[in-house]
Amino acid sequence: MGKPDNKPAASSGYSSWREMPAVPVSVPCKGSIGATGEWRTFRPVLDAEVCIKCGICYLYCPDGVIIYKEESIPEIDYTYCKGCGICVTVCPKKALGMVREQE
Ligand code: SF4
Ligand code: SF4
């Protein structure tokens, strides 16, 4: 296992999760103040036409709410997605963008 460099995938040149060092992936659940999806003011949306199914967004999501199976387009669990935008930042193809939540 290589030493983690703590750089975002987009700037470190990873093209797939397979090139990244091993990282723990958490499982989302309801906390004492409810589901984290209620915190969101912006939500990530994925353009399936642009996504290359690399899985990097899945590994970087701090809440483990991106559901990814190899060779498939990731899905986002909006019940727990808190809208932090990290997935948008690390996507090497800019397949993810943030849109404001509707009132
Ligand atoms: S916005 Fe944050 S919590 Fe939501 S899917 Fe992206 S990385 Fe995960
Ligand atoms: S949304 Fe971006 S980071 Fe996620 S699998 Fe698709 S191309 Fe990779």
Side-chain angles (χ1 to χ4, degrees), residues 36 40 42-44 57-58 60-66 75-78 80-90 96 98:
T36 45
R40 233 178 20 245
F42 286 83
R43 69 164 52 201
C57 56
Y58 154 75
Y60 271 86
C61 173
D63 289 332
V65 301
I66 297 181
E75 291 173 38
I76 298 168
D77 179 352
Y78 290 110
Y80 295 107
C81 166
K82 62 188 176 191
C84 67
I86 289 173
C87 54
V88 174
T89 301
V90 299
L96 287 153
M98 298 297 275

Side-chain angles (χ1 to χ4, degrees), residues 46 50-57 68 74 90-93 95-96:
L46 192 153
V50 179
C51 175
I52 58 170
K53 306 171 186 169
C54 66
I56 287 175
C57 56
Y68 171 72
V90 299
C91 175
K93 296 309 246 183
L96 287 153

Side-chain angles (χ1 to χ4, degrees), residues 2 5 25-27 31 34 45 47 49-50 63 71 78 83 89 92 99 102:
D5 58 15
V25 177
S26 61
V27 177
V45 289
D47 184 342
E49 298 289 315
V50 179
D63 289 332
E71 304 304 323
Y78 290 110
T89 301
V99 299
Q102 300 300 311

